[in-house]
Amino acid sequence: MDRQQTQLQLQANTWLEKQKVGLTASQKKAFIQWLNTSKAHQTAYQESVQVERLLTQFSEHEIEQLNTPKPKRFLSTWAIAACAACLMLTITGYQLWPNEVSPTQYTAHYKSNRGEQFDIALPDGSQLSVDAKTQISLDFNPNSRKNKLVQGRVFFNVASDLQRPFIVSTDDTKITVLGTRFSVDKKKHSTRISVEHGRVKIQNNHHLIELVQGQHVVFNELGMDVQTIDPTLVDAWRSGRLVFSNAPLVEVCAEFNRYHDTEFTFSDDRVAALKVSGTFSAVQLDNFLNLLPHVLPVEIKRENNQVIISKADNS
């Protein structure tokens, strides 16, 4: 990295640190102007966001080791994957960043592939964390900040703006907030909204409810189900953890399918409906499959990228 690039990255890091504390109105204006100076500024900022995101997954000791050169030192598989992910996310962020950034007018479309996650810094000060296999479109104007989640999962850290509500829609469900942190998971036949902090208003064709910190709701063909949750686990997936509480096995496998090119087949509906609880690493599918027969009455058969799960033969 040459001197000019180094200075640019330092500027990006400085803006990121200021955002953590909170930008004043004048600082927000200056940040937008800095971003709009060139695509190089936008790319540098996205790189800083991605590096910050990856470093949160290391302990202080691990970061110190990464910064300490050692002869013939071999990186762990995870570290290599993290570096590769950083490069991939940087390229992706650069390609998807809109040509012009405005504090009020902003449109963009983001799409992530299997196993791909990235963060998005929005001009209003909000932050989005996009999970794998996700599509979302943004349309901000002076009166509202609209987001259309087509599929997948996004964690929203919304900057407060009393004049412009932040709206997330998924099919017939609309979530409205002014400033809060929450996650929306849009699947083919269901939508799950989980609140880490603040309050959200949710409306669809049949219900109008409000959720507060530590609550989540699932809308599906059976209706609506509101439950109490641990708010610290709302965004566990951002750090590679999949947390399940009495979840159907078919749903658990669908979660792993976000990150692995694996086809799951069940011998019958009863096997697919077996309940699973626990916390698992999203990247360690093999460990999960090896553990499964010890906690459920099932057998696992693997053929290339296909996993067949059937009832265990106890005879």
mmCIF file with all atom_site columns, all heavy atoms in Angstrom, residues 72-86:
data_model
loop_
_atom_site.group_PDB
_atom_site.id
_atom_site.type_symbol
_atom_site.label_atom_id
_atom_site.label_alt_id
_atom_site.label_comp_id
_atom_site.label_asym_id
_atom_site.label_entity_id
_atom_site.label_seq_id
_atom_site.pdbx_PDB_ins_code
_atom_site.Cartn_x
_atom_site.Cartn_y
_atom_site.Cartn_z
_atom_site.occupancy
_atom_site.B_iso_or_equiv
_atom_site.pdbx_formal_charge
_atom_site.auth_seq_id
_atom_site.auth_comp_id
_atom_site.auth_asym_id
_atom_site.auth_atom_id
_atom_site.pdbx_PDB_model_num
ATOM 1   N N   . LYS A 1 72 ? 8.186   -18.837 9.379  1.00 0.00 ? 72 LYS A N   1
ATOM 2   C CA  . LYS A 1 72 ? 7.525   -20.097 9.065  1.00 0.00 ? 72 LYS A CA  1
ATOM 3   C C   . LYS A 1 72 ? 6.248   -20.301 9.869  1.00 0.00 ? 72 LYS A C   1
ATOM 4   O O   . LYS A 1 72 ? 5.911   -21.389 10.296 1.00 0.00 ? 72 LYS A O   1
ATOM 5   C CB  . LYS A 1 72 ? 8.474   -21.280 9.320  1.00 0.00 ? 72 LYS A CB  1
ATOM 6   C CG  . LYS A 1 72 ? 9.701   -21.274 8.425  1.00 0.00 ? 72 LYS A CG  1
ATOM 7   C CD  . LYS A 1 72 ? 10.554  -22.488 8.669  1.00 0.00 ? 72 LYS A CD  1
ATOM 8   C CE  . LYS A 1 72 ? 11.780  -22.494 7.757  1.00 0.00 ? 72 LYS A CE  1
ATOM 9   N NZ  . LYS A 1 72 ? 12.630  -23.681 7.958  1.00 0.00 ? 72 LYS A NZ  1
ATOM 10  N N   . ARG A 1 73 ? 5.553   -19.198 10.079 1.00 0.00 ? 73 ARG A N   1
ATOM 11  C CA  . ARG A 1 73 ? 4.307   -19.287 10.840 1.00 0.00 ? 73 ARG A CA  1
ATOM 12  C C   . ARG A 1 73 ? 3.158   -19.594 9.884  1.00 0.00 ? 73 ARG A C   1
ATOM 13  O O   . ARG A 1 73 ? 2.969   -18.939 8.882  1.00 0.00 ? 73 ARG A O   1
ATOM 14  C CB  . ARG A 1 73 ? 4.023   -17.953 11.540 1.00 0.00 ? 73 ARG A CB  1
ATOM 15  C CG  . ARG A 1 73 ? 2.753   -17.962 12.380 1.00 0.00 ? 73 ARG A CG  1
ATOM 16  C CD  . ARG A 1 73 ? 2.650   -16.650 13.158 1.00 0.00 ? 73 ARG A CD  1
ATOM 17  N NE  . ARG A 1 73 ? 1.429   -16.609 13.930 1.00 0.00 ? 73 ARG A NE  1
ATOM 18  C CZ  . ARG A 1 73 ? 0.278   -16.139 13.465 1.00 0.00 ? 73 ARG A CZ  1
ATOM 19  N NH1 . ARG A 1 73 ? 0.215   -15.708 12.228 1.00 0.00 ? 73 ARG A NH1 1
ATOM 20  N NH2 . ARG A 1 73 ? -0.790  -16.116 14.212 1.00 0.00 ? 73 ARG A NH2 1
ATOM 21  N N   . PHE A 1 74 ? 2.386   -20.619 10.207 1.00 0.00 ? 74 PHE A N   1
ATOM 22  C CA  . PHE A 1 74 ? 1.282   -21.026 9.343  1.00 0.00 ? 74 PHE A CA  1
ATOM 23  C C   . PHE A 1 74 ? -0.024  -20.507 9.927  1.00 0.00 ? 74 PHE A C   1
ATOM 24  O O   . PHE A 1 74 ? -0.308  -20.699 11.101 1.00 0.00 ? 74 PHE A O   1
ATOM 25  C CB  . PHE A 1 74 ? 1.209   -22.551 9.228  1.00 0.00 ? 74 PHE A CB  1
ATOM 26  C CG  . PHE A 1 74 ? 2.393   -23.123 8.503  1.00 0.00 ? 74 PHE A CG  1
ATOM 27  C CD1 . PHE A 1 74 ? 3.522   -23.511 9.197  1.00 0.00 ? 74 PHE A CD1 1
ATOM 28  C CD2 . PHE A 1 74 ? 2.371   -23.238 7.128  1.00 0.00 ? 74 PHE A CD2 1
ATOM 29  C CE1 . PHE A 1 74 ? 4.609   -24.037 8.530  1.00 0.00 ? 74 PHE A CE1 1
ATOM 30  C CE2 . PHE A 1 74 ? 3.449   -23.775 6.457  1.00 0.00 ? 74 PHE A CE2 1
ATOM 31  C CZ  . PHE A 1 74 ? 4.575   -24.168 7.153  1.00 0.00 ? 74 PHE A CZ  1
ATOM 32  N N   . LEU A 1 75 ? -0.813  -19.844 9.087  1.00 0.00 ? 75 LEU A N   1
ATOM 33  C CA  . LEU A 1 75 ? -2.123  -19.375 9.514  1.00 0.00 ? 75 LEU A CA  1
ATOM 34  C C   . LEU A 1 75 ? -3.082  -20.546 9.640  1.00 0.00 ? 75 LEU A C   1
ATOM 35  O O   . LEU A 1 75 ? -3.002  -21.506 8.890  1.00 0.00 ? 75 LEU A O   1
ATOM 36  C CB  . LEU A 1 75 ? -2.693  -18.379 8.491  1.00 0.00 ? 75 LEU A CB  1
ATOM 37  C CG  . LEU A 1 75 ? -2.027  -16.998 8.421  1.00 0.00 ? 75 LEU A CG  1
ATOM 38  C CD1 . LEU A 1 75 ? -2.649  -16.209 7.276  1.00 0.00 ? 75 LEU A CD1 1
ATOM 39  C CD2 . LEU A 1 75 ? -2.189  -16.239 9.719  1.00 0.00 ? 75 LEU A CD2 1
ATOM 40  N N   . SER A 1 76 ? -3.990  -20.442 10.598 1.00 0.00 ? 76 SER A N   1
ATOM 41  C CA  . SER A 1 76 ? -5.022  -21.468 10.731 1.00 0.00 ? 76 SER A CA  1
ATOM 42  C C   . SER A 1 76 ? -5.972  -21.389 9.543  1.00 0.00 ? 76 SER A C   1
ATOM 43  O O   . SER A 1 76 ? -6.037  -20.392 8.831  1.00 0.00 ? 76 SER A O   1
ATOM 44  C CB  . SER A 1 76 ? -5.820  -21.248 12.023 1.00 0.00 ? 76 SER A CB  1
ATOM 45  O OG  . SER A 1 76 ? -6.565  -20.058 11.925 1.00 0.00 ? 76 SER A OG  1
ATOM 46  N N   . THR A 1 77 ? -6.697  -22.476 9.331  1.00 0.00 ? 77 THR A N   1
ATOM 47  C CA  . THR A 1 77 ? -7.684  -22.493 8.240  1.00 0.00 ? 77 THR A CA  1
ATOM 48  C C   . THR A 1 77 ? -8.680  -21.366 8.411  1.00 0.00 ? 77 THR A C   1
ATOM 49  O O   . THR A 1 77 ? -9.055  -20.700 7.454  1.00 0.00 ? 77 THR A O   1
ATOM 50  C CB  . THR A 1 77 ? -8.435  -23.844 8.235  1.00 0.00 ? 77 THR A CB  1
ATOM 51  O OG1 . THR A 1 77 ? -7.483  -24.884 8.094  1.00 0.00 ? 77 THR A OG1 1
ATOM 52  C CG2 . THR A 1 77 ? -9.430  -23.900 7.092  1.00 0.00 ? 77 THR A CG2 1
ATOM 53  N N   . TRP A 1 78 ? -9.094  -21.116 9.653  1.00 0.00 ? 78 TRP A N   1
ATOM 54  C CA  . TRP A 1 78 ? -10.072 -20.050 9.898  1.00 0.00 ? 78 TRP A CA  1
ATOM 55  C C   . TRP A 1 78 ? -9.496  -18.700 9.538  1.00 0.00 ? 78 TRP A C   1
ATOM 56  O O   . TRP A 1 78 ? -10.165 -17.866 8.931  1.00 0.00 ? 78 TRP A O   1
ATOM 57  C CB  . TRP A 1 78 ? -10.479 -20.071 11.360 1.00 0.00 ? 78 TRP A CB  1
ATOM 58  C CG  . TRP A 1 78 ? -11.655 -19.148 11.620 1.00 0.00 ? 78 TRP A CG  1
ATOM 59  C CD1 . TRP A 1 78 ? -12.966 -19.505 11.636 1.00 0.00 ? 78 TRP A CD1 1
ATOM 60  C CD2 . TRP A 1 78 ? -11.621 -17.751 11.876 1.00 0.00 ? 78 TRP A CD2 1
ATOM 61  N NE1 . TRP A 1 78 ? -13.748 -18.408 11.880 1.00 0.00 ? 78 TRP A NE1 1
ATOM 62  C CE2 . TRP A 1 78 ? -12.960 -17.320 12.039 1.00 0.00 ? 78 TRP A CE2 1
ATOM 63  C CE3 . TRP A 1 78 ? -10.599 -16.809 11.982 1.00 0.00 ? 78 TRP A CE3 1
ATOM 64  C CZ2 . TRP A 1 78 ? -13.302 -16.010 12.311 1.00 0.00 ? 78 TRP A CZ2 1
ATOM 65  C CZ3 . TRP A 1 78 ? -10.938 -15.485 12.241 1.00 0.00 ? 78 TRP A CZ3 1
ATOM 66  C CH2 . TRP A 1 78 ? -12.274 -15.098 12.408 1.00 0.00 ? 78 TRP A CH2 1
ATOM 67  N N   . ALA A 1 79 ? -8.233  -18.446 9.898  1.00 0.00 ? 79 ALA A N   1
ATOM 68  C CA  . ALA A 1 79 ? -7.621  -17.156 9.606  1.00 0.00 ? 79 ALA A CA  1
ATOM 69  C C   . ALA A 1 79 ? -7.498  -16.943 8.106  1.00 0.00 ? 79 ALA A C   1
ATOM 70  O O   . ALA A 1 79 ? -7.727  -15.846 7.596  1.00 0.00 ? 79 ALA A O   1
ATOM 71  C CB  . ALA A 1 79 ? -6.248  -17.063 10.269 1.00 0.00 ? 79 ALA A CB  1
ATOM 72  N N   . ILE A 1 80 ? -7.115  -18.009 7.387  1.00 0.00 ? 80 ILE A N   1
ATOM 73  C CA  . ILE A 1 80 ? -7.022  -17.910 5.926  1.00 0.00 ? 80 ILE A CA  1
ATOM 74  C C   . ILE A 1 80 ? -8.396  -17.599 5.349  1.00 0.00 ? 80 ILE A C   1
ATOM 75  O O   . ILE A 1 80 ? -8.541  -16.742 4.474  1.00 0.00 ? 80 ILE A O   1
ATOM 76  C CB  . ILE A 1 80 ? -6.475  -19.223 5.333  1.00 0.00 ? 80 ILE A CB  1
ATOM 77  C CG1 . ILE A 1 80 ? -5.012  -19.418 5.779  1.00 0.00 ? 80 ILE A CG1 1
ATOM 78  C CG2 . ILE A 1 80 ? -6.558  -19.207 3.810  1.00 0.00 ? 80 ILE A CG2 1
ATOM 79  C CD1 . ILE A 1 80 ? -4.448  -20.767 5.400  1.00 0.00 ? 80 ILE A CD1 1
ATOM 80  N N   . ALA A 1 81 ? -9.413  -18.275 5.864  1.00 0.00 ? 81 ALA A N   1
ATOM 81  C CA  . ALA A 1 81 ? -10.773 -18.034 5.373  1.00 0.00 ? 81 ALA A CA  1
ATOM 82  C C   . ALA A 1 81 ? -11.203 -16.609 5.675  1.00 0.00 ? 81 ALA A C   1
ATOM 83  O O   . ALA A 1 81 ? -11.860 -15.965 4.857  1.00 0.00 ? 81 ALA A O   1
ATOM 84  C CB  . ALA A 1 81 ? -11.740 -19.024 6.025  1.00 0.00 ? 81 ALA A CB  1
ATOM 85  N N   . ALA A 1 82 ? -10.807 -16.108 6.851  1.00 0.00 ? 82 ALA A N   1
ATOM 86  C CA  . ALA A 1 82 ? -11.166 -14.742 7.212  1.00 0.00 ? 82 ALA A CA  1
ATOM 87  C C   . ALA A 1 82 ? -10.522 -13.735 6.273  1.00 0.00 ? 82 ALA A C   1
ATOM 88  O O   . ALA A 1 82 ? -11.150 -12.777 5.836  1.00 0.00 ? 82 ALA A O   1
ATOM 89  C CB  . ALA A 1 82 ? -10.743 -14.449 8.662  1.00 0.00 ? 82 ALA A CB  1
ATOM 90  N N   . CYS A 1 83 ? -9.250  -13.952 5.955  1.00 0.00 ? 83 CYS A N   1
ATOM 91  C CA  . CYS A 1 83 ? -8.554  -13.060 5.033  1.00 0.00 ? 83 CYS A CA  1
ATOM 92  C C   . CYS A 1 83 ? -9.192  -13.104 3.648  1.00 0.00 ? 83 CYS A C   1
ATOM 93  O O   . CYS A 1 83 ? -9.379  -12.080 2.993  1.00 0.00 ? 83 CYS A O   1
ATOM 94  C CB  . CYS A 1 83 ? -7.080  -13.434 4.936  1.00 0.00 ? 83 CYS A CB  1
ATOM 95  S SG  . CYS A 1 83 ? -6.158  -13.169 6.463  1.00 0.00 ? 83 CYS A SG  1
ATOM 96  N N   . ALA A 1 84 ? -9.522  -14.323 3.210  1.00 0.00 ? 84 ALA A N   1
ATOM 97  C CA  . ALA A 1 84 ? -10.166 -14.469 1.904  1.00 0.00 ? 84 ALA A CA  1
ATOM 98  C C   . ALA A 1 84 ? -11.526 -13.797 1.909  1.00 0.00 ? 84 ALA A C   1
ATOM 99  O O   . ALA A 1 84 ? -11.915 -13.143 0.939  1.00 0.00 ? 84 ALA A O   1
ATOM 100 C CB  . ALA A 1 84 ? -10.317 -15.946 1.560  1.00 0.00 ? 84 ALA A CB  1
ATOM 101 N N   . ALA A 1 85 ? -12.234 -13.947 3.026  1.00 0.00 ? 85 ALA A N   1
ATOM 102 C CA  . ALA A 1 85 ? -13.547 -13.316 3.126  1.00 0.00 ? 85 ALA A CA  1
ATOM 103 C C   . ALA A 1 85 ? -13.419 -11.807 3.090  1.00 0.00 ? 85 ALA A C   1
ATOM 104 O O   . ALA A 1 85 ? -14.237 -11.118 2.481  1.00 0.00 ? 85 ALA A O   1
ATOM 105 C CB  . ALA A 1 85 ? -14.242 -13.753 4.426  1.00 0.00 ? 85 ALA A CB  1
ATOM 106 N N   . CYS A 1 86 ? -12.388 -11.285 3.748  1.00 0.00 ? 86 CYS A N   1
ATOM 107 C CA  . CYS A 1 86 ? -12.177 -9.842  3.758  1.00 0.00 ? 86 CYS A CA  1
ATOM 108 C C   . CYS A 1 86 ? -11.974 -9.319  2.350  1.00 0.00 ? 86 CYS A C   1
ATOM 109 O O   . CYS A 1 86 ? -12.544 -8.311  1.946  1.00 0.00 ? 86 CYS A O   1
ATOM 110 C CB  . CYS A 1 86 ? -10.964 -9.498  4.627  1.00 0.00 ? 86 CYS A CB  1
ATOM 111 S SG  . CYS A 1 86 ? -10.688 -7.720  4.821  1.00 0.00 ? 86 CYS A SG  1
#
